[in-house]
Amino acid sequence: MRESLHRSRAALLSTLLFVAACHPAASPAPAHPPAPALEPRDATRVAEAAALAAFPGGWRFPVGVKPTESEHAMVVSNSKLASDAGIEILKAGGNAVDAAVATGFALAVTYPSAGNIGGGGFMNIRMADGRSMTLDYREMAPGASSRDMYVDASGKLTNKSTVGYLASGVPGSVAGMNEALKKYGSMTLAQVMAPAIRYAEKGFMVDSVFSRGIEGARRAITPFEGKAVFFPGGEAVKTGSLLVQPDLARTLKLIAANGPKAFYEGAIADSLVAEEQRGGGIITKDDLRRYKPEWRTPIKSTYRGYTLLAMPPSSSGGITMTEAMNILENFAPLPPAGSVGYAHLLAESYRRAFMDRNSKLGDPAFVKNPLNELTSKAYAKTLAAQIDLHHASKTPAFDTRAEGTQTTHYSVVDNFGNAVATTTTLNGGFGSGVWVRGGGFFMNNEMDDFAAQPGTPNMFGLVQGEANAIRPGKRMLSAMDPTIVLDPQGKLLMVTGAAGGPTIITATMEVILNVIEHHMTLADAMRAPRLHHQALPDALRFEPNGMSAAVVDSLKAMGHTVTSQNGLANVNSILRVPGGWHGVYEPRSVGGAVGY
Ligand code: GLY
């Protein structure tokens, strides 16, 4: 009783302090002057912030942990072996694009829950000379797909968009990685694929996390043929055993020797289509032959003097992050990380940006995305003015399903100043579970990223609309947001991005804000507690012990529904520092930051 009285007093005090200290004006919000430019991130400021840094009591990570440091180059991914592959290529004279492609193929071997050749992804490239471009190799809906293919005769949504043969879009990863290499790499496919082929052919040592991950995916993997590889004798591959994948090694060698044609038209296409036909899938040789990656102009925005280069549609990542950052800019300088005020402003900005995302965005080949409007500072200002500083808003019902959490992001910088941020996925862990016999790889369940039944939540609770309804040849809307940040002088500062469905957008943005707005070291920025709001469900999610009880109570008093969720997103980041680079892989997961 006494404790709860104490907590609610603390909550009230915390709310009042926030309102008085950060935002003296009562709602409706005043017209905000242009946001002052941020003070440059300098070593003194970072050292001061690091000395004062504190996470809430009980939070799982300490402050002040050292990152991986390097002088020349860095690769950060969810697999140490895949990062090693990238560094091997860089040391052999390759550039960041060569290394990114090497890392991507290696992830397909060493991190098969999300690394893939049976899925798709997005790559954000910035060359040292300032050229900046993004590559969309998102999966596409097969020609025989249809708007209501996942709805049964009684109008109920089935699980066929998530499990089994009908769940897959036409894979884009092989075409995409080849395209990036051809345009901006300096090596051959055979050179950059050599480490992945070695890992598949000679095997790699299974560690306890990998073994537990396979056991945890028993229900996804064992109905299909991958069980022979990952559950030999019916048991998950054992810690300390060598995992050799001969079918995958053969597939990778065919791609290395013959290019993407091997995958889209040759022997691998034959195996893929034969697998589809055995299980009632609809991907045909024509679908494979027609698949093309698309070069797109990045979403370029500014936040208080910094430049963000982010992913355009068919991902919602760049637009949604830009919209939310633009809203927040109206409240600059932001309240401190960990305060009620900061949590409230994040929640209200996310709410508004996700309402637009979920109702208005889709594949640009099918939908006119209101890109200019949604990323404009003026529009953000009108949204910011709607934010009541004392009370949570409610998300109205809107004309509008969630994305897979088993995506993976990797970041690369090279010695020449080139940078690559890549996010790739099968959607759910091990995708649809379908494993291509003879091919040796898993197929995605990316069709669930469409609004399989507009207005009905998908596997992660996102409610989306007609703009993202299924059409043959259409790309399903993604949240992936590989992002490159430039400092106010236009110099490369950060390479980052995340896995985690819609939490990709919020976690990527929070790590960036932790660095540029809150002056955290990259290690602290990655370890700081995260928040998430996606409009619907109308709840502010936080990580257990990631906010103090007083902050939680204050947010509730302001009208927020507050729920906790373990491990929001999976981010892998690189930051330029004086004398080189800091690299940090997701502390909530596994990975490797490797530099030289
Ligand atoms: N499948 C996760 C995403 O594309 O956002």
Side-chain angles (χ1 to χ4, degrees):
M1 177 71 179
R2 185 169 291 188
E3 165 69 355
S4 87
L5 190 64
H6 174 76
R7 282 174 52 172
S8 59
R9 271 201 192 130
L12 182 62
L13 186 63
S14 190
T15 306
L16 292 176
L17 280 175
F18 152 61
V19 170
C22 303
H23 301 288
S27 59
H32 300 285
L38 270 164
E39 284 170 53
R41 183 181 164 83
D42 66 61
T44 315
R45 192 73 202 259
V46 174
E48 277 168 17
L52 292 171
F55 294 148
W59 175 239
R60 58 193 290 195
F61 300 117
V63 291
V65 175
K66 277 183 83 67
T68 300
E69 297 172 318
S70 73
E71 194 181 335
H72 304 287
M74 183 75 75
V75 180
V76 186
S77 80
N78 284 123
S79 156
K80 162 86 166 53
L81 286 171
S83 298
D84 287 340
I87 286 292
E88 178 179 324
I89 293 300
L90 290 175
K91 285 188 173 166
N95 68 17
V97 176
D98 297 316
V101 175
T103 304
F105 277 110
L107 283 165
V109 183
T110 62
Y111 194 72
S113 60
N116 67 82
I117 56 173
F122 297 93
M123 194 178 280
N124 186 347
I125 302 174
R126 183 177 186 270
M127 302 303 282
D129 62 8
R131 283 174 298 160
S132 168
M133 66 293 300
T134 66
L135 184 62
D136 173 337
Y137 48 99
R138 183 69 160 165
E139 299 91 326
M140 285 169 57
S145 61
S146 56
R147 184 185 183 281
D148 295 324
M149 63 187 280
Y150 300 117
V151 180
D152 69 15
S154 66
K156 271 184 55 190
L157 189 58
T158 66
N159 70 353
K160 291 187 174 140
S161 65
T162 59
V163 185
Y165 290 85
L166 281 177
S168 305
V170 182
S173 292
V174 173
M177 289 192 281
N178 176 67
E179 175 70 17
L181 187 74
K182 212 170 67 195
K183 281 257 165 56
Y184 295 102
S186 66
M187 290 181 159
T188 64
L189 261 183
Q191 283 172 303
V192 301
M193 291 181 70
I197 293 170
R198 201 171 61 235
Y199 295 150
E201 193 165 45
K202 306 259 185 272
F204 63 90
M205 191 71 79
V206 169
D207 63 23
S208 56
V209 175
F210 189 98
S211 175
R212 280 201 304 274
I214 296 293
E215 180 54 44
R218 179 180 283 275
R219 280 180 51 197
I221 297 173
T222 53
F224 306 99
E225 297 304 314
K227 65 174 179 285
V229 174
F230 295 100
F231 288 86
E235 299 295 319
V237 285
K238 287 198 173 23
T239 303
S241 65
L242 197 65
L243 179 59
V244 180
Q245 300 176 69
D247 285 348
L248 182 55
R250 195 172 48 247
T251 289
L252 294 174
K253 282 182 183 167
L254 281 170
I255 297 168
N258 304 316
K261 260 194 163 191
F263 188 90
Y264 292 93
E265 298 183 39
I268 309 164
D270 292 341
S271 301
L272 197 162
V273 169
E275 187 65 45
E276 288 281 304
Q277 287 172 352
R278 273 194 290 268
I282 55 175
I283 296 178
T284 62
K285 292 281 285 267
D286 261 0
D287 289 325
L288 290 169
R289 202 176 301 117
R290 274 201 292 265
Y291 185 84
K292 293 263 174 309
E294 298 283 349
W295 288 104
R296 304 191 193 279
T297 306
I299 302 286
K300 185 171 179 182
S301 64
T302 58
Y303 180 84
R304 305 188 67 194
Y306 287 76
T307 298
L308 278 75
L309 302 165
M311 209 63 219
S314 62
S315 182
S316 64
I319 292 184
T320 312
M321 181 176 71
T322 299
E323 185 174 334
M325 296 278 274
N326 283 345
I327 297 172
L328 281 180
E329 206 179 34
N330 288 278
F331 299 92
L334 298 180
S339 66
V340 183
Y342 188 52
H344 177 64
L345 287 178
L346 284 179
E348 293 302 322
S349 306
Y350 292 157
R351 180 197 308 283
R352 285 161 179 80
F354 270 88
M355 280 167 59
D356 282 334
R357 174 214 186 269
N358 296 348
S359 58
K360 295 179 181 160
L361 303 183
D363 180 350
F366 289 77
V367 172
K368 186 156 174 26
N369 291 292
L371 191 153
N372 291 339
E373 179 197 343
L374 298 188
T375 59
S376 92
K377 300 275 187 198
Y379 177 61
K381 198 167 191 155
T382 63
L383 296 181
Q386 295 165 4
I387 295 178
D388 177 334
L389 299 175
H390 306 257
H391 302 104
S393 353
K394 289 277 163 259
T395 303
F398 57 98
D399 189 19
T400 66
R401 214 180 144 196
E403 283 114 294
T405 51
Q406 286 300 332
T407 299
T408 188
H409 172 84
Y410 54 99
S411 295
V412 181
V413 295
D414 67 20
N415 195 25
F416 313 108
N418 305 306
V420 181
T422 306
T423 316
T424 183
T425 190
L426 290 165
N427 196 24
F430 303 93
S432 63
V434 172
W435 191 83
V436 175
R437 272 167 267 199
F441 59 93
F442 289 101
M443 289 293 286
N444 68 82
N445 60 351
E446 217 72 61
M447 291 296 282
D448 192 64
D449 271 356
F450 279 117
Q453 190 175 40
T456 306
N458 72 355
M459 71 174 162
F460 303 97
L462 272 178
V463 184
Q464 306 175 80
E466 282 299 334
N468 191 29
I470 303 171
R471 296 279 180 276
K474 187 174 175 183
R475 285 159 148 89
M476 55 296 285
L477 187 65
S478 172
M480 292 189 268
D481 195 16
T483 300
I484 294 174
V485 183
L486 311 180
D487 71 12
Q489 287 72 46
K491 217 170 146 194
L492 176 64
L493 179 73
M494 266 183 98
V495 185
T496 188
T503 67
I504 289 173
I505 298 169
T506 51
T508 302
M509 173 169 152
E510 285 168 36
V511 171
I512 294 170
L513 284 171
N514 287 344
V515 169
I516 66 176
E517 175 89 33
H518 302 300
H519 298 278
M520 292 184 199
T521 64
L522 184 63
D524 284 351
M526 291 281 290
R527 281 172 178 75
R530 296 177 187 154
L531 295 170
H532 178 71
H533 202 301
Q534 58 186 44
L536 287 177
D538 190 347
L540 173 59
R541 293 182 222 170
F542 72 107
E543 299 179 279
N545 297 323
M547 294 198 292
S548 70
V551 169
V552 172
D553 288 347
S554 300
L555 289 164
K556 287 181 180 164
M558 293 167 84
H560 287 281
T561 298
V562 185
T563 59
S564 72
Q565 180 179 326
N566 257 319
L568 284 170
N570 186 327
V571 187
N572 289 308
S573 307
I574 300 175
L575 178 71
R576 182 170 53 77
V577 294
W581 304 98
H582 280 181
V584 181
Y585 70 87
E586 176 56 61
R588 295 152 183 80
S589 181
V590 290
V594 185
Y596 78 93

